[in-house]
Amino acid sequence: MPLNASSLSVGDTHSEVVVENLTRTQIVQYAGASGDYNPIHTDTPFTKEIAGYPSVFAHGMLSMGMTGKMLTNYVGDGRLTAFGVRFTRQVFPGATLTATATVEAIREEDGQHFVDLAVSTTNQEGQEVCKGDASARIDA
Amino acid sequence: MADEVTFPVEAGHIMLFARAIGDENPIYKDAEYAKASEVGGIPAPPTFERVWAHWDPDYSLRPKPGEPWFGSAAEATARPQSADEEDDGGGSGRGLHAEQRYVYHRPVLAGETLTARMRPGKTWTKEGRRAGTMTFSEGIIELFDEAGEIVITATTVGVTTSRAVDQ
């Protein structure tokens, strides 16, 4: 259901656990679906011995994709007008991620209502893994 | 990436992509449900844009038959990077995605054909506490529909670090 300007307030939040105990298999699924087969995401010998990381880790775009799922659940399908994040920390297998949108502004342009959201996704340690913002068309 | 990549937005691909991000929304797999919804069809999830990589003949992060690949086979890498090779961060495993931004001009639906055009943006370097010297480079990818109208503007920032990021 789309959001309504009349029932939203600055500071409102919507939060979802977007993955619990992230599996390597889900990272493989994402590699196949997206077409990004960078071995740092799925290939343990390469990642440990060549890249120098303790383990494979998720595509930033998988974290962003899961964050986007929270956004479309909140604002409705086809309603986003902008979405951007910075990837601030890597996400390793076993991660549980919580994505949160916070209403920053409710505005009207040419009779169309919009909401501006701050977006933050954190891991099970409370560390932020992506941080950004989004905007969406809302109903009056 | 190739200068221009044209690709079909397919319903089956959207279903696979939605599964990969753990999105159970019926709109991504039920055509009747999607048709009756406000968007009127199966929409591409917000980050679906990157799938142009599948149709890019030059995409560097996909193994290609007959060409050396930098992932492991008998050894930890099947393609040791030579000193004179331009390092895009791929061969060394030091390339990371730093930032991604989208502007959605309208929803994209299954059944459309899109053309992605890429142009390079800024590059800059920064010293990081956890990663040493970080070299950032920006690319702007614009996606157009069959009528030539822009549907998505994507800005991507990649970073190559001089060492693996401290955890």
Side-chain angles (χ1 to χ4, degrees):
Chain A
M1 289 294 288
L3 297 173
N4 295 93
S6 56
S7 56
L8 277 179
S9 304
V10 170
D12 284 356
T13 64
H14 173 79
S15 206
E16 289 181 21
V17 174
V18 291
V19 67
E20 279 186 87
N21 193 15
L22 174 68
T23 61
R24 288 167 182 78
T25 306
Q26 185 172 354
I27 299 173
V28 169
Q29 272 184 292
Y30 187 78
S34 69
D36 179 349
Y37 299 97
N38 190 333
I40 55 176
H41 303 305
T42 56
D43 180 338
T44 299
F46 173 86
T47 305
K48 290 177 100 154
E49 295 172 40
I50 305 295
Y53 286 102
S55 144
V56 295
F57 52 92
H59 306 71
M61 290 307 295
L62 175 52
S63 301
M64 188 181 188
M66 294 190 294
T67 302
K69 165 177 67 170
M70 174 279 292
L71 285 173
T72 48
N73 287 341
Y74 184 41
V75 305
D77 298 309
R79 290 283 183 145
L80 281 178
T81 57
F83 176 28
V85 297
R86 279 191 304 116
F87 302 107
T88 50
R89 186 170 283 273
Q90 284 150 291
V91 171
F92 290 93
T96 291
L97 300 183
T98 303
T100 304
T102 305
V103 174
E104 297 242 292
I106 301 141
R107 58 191 166 83
E108 188 179 344
E109 273 173 37
D110 303 327
Q112 173 63 58
H113 297 268
F114 295 89
V115 63
D116 296 326
L117 303 165
V119 174
S120 173
T121 300
T122 54
N123 66 18
Q124 67 283 3
E125 315 283 345
Q127 297 163 322
E128 199 163 53
V129 299
C130 42
K131 176 184 176 61
D133 47 69
S135 298
R137 285 186 301 111
I138 56 175
D139 292 345
Chain B
M1 121 180 232
D3 294 339
E4 186 173 298
V5 176
T6 295
F7 65 99
V9 177
E10 296 165 336
H13 196 176
I14 289 174
M15 182 188 73
L16 298 180
F17 189 93
R19 276 187 188 153
I21 59 171
D23 196 332
E24 307 257 69
N25 187 338
I27 203 163
Y28 297 129
K29 55 193 168 201
D30 182 338
E32 290 305 311
Y33 175 94
K35 197 174 171 192
S37 74
E38 181 185 75
V39 282
I42 297 176
T47 59
F48 187 75
E49 163 272 337
R50 300 276 291 185
V51 307
W52 55 257
H54 278 296
W55 283 270
D56 179 359
D58 302 334
Y59 192 62
S60 64
L61 296 175
R62 177 181 69 245
K64 302 175 190 72
E67 292 180 28
W69 173 241
F70 60 98
S72 69
E75 305 294 336
T77 176
R79 192 197 73 188
Q81 191 150 15
S82 66
D84 58 350
E85 188 178 351
E86 189 189 341
D87 187 356
D88 63 359
S92 60
R94 296 286 153 70
L96 297 172
H97 197 169
E99 187 172 341
Q100 182 73 25
R101 310 198 64 80
Y102 290 111
V103 174
Y104 305 104
H105 304 278
R106 66 161 176 83
V108 169
L109 300 182
E112 294 196 65
T113 298
L114 299 183
T115 296
R117 295 196 187 100
M118 158 93 160
R119 56 188 162 85
K122 299 172 289 191
T123 60
W124 66 97
T125 62
K126 197 171 144 183
E127 287 303 316
R129 199 164 30 87
R130 293 167 53 218
T133 305
M134 300 184 287
T135 305
F136 293 89
S137 61
E138 186 183 65
I140 294 112
I141 298 174
E142 292 172 314
L143 288 96
F144 298 88
D145 64 16
E146 288 152 284
E149 297 292 326
I150 191 160
V151 293
I152 297 175
T153 305
T155 304
T156 186
V157 179
V159 59
T160 306
T161 61
S162 62
R163 58 184 164 86
V165 181
D166 297 341
Q167 298 306 315

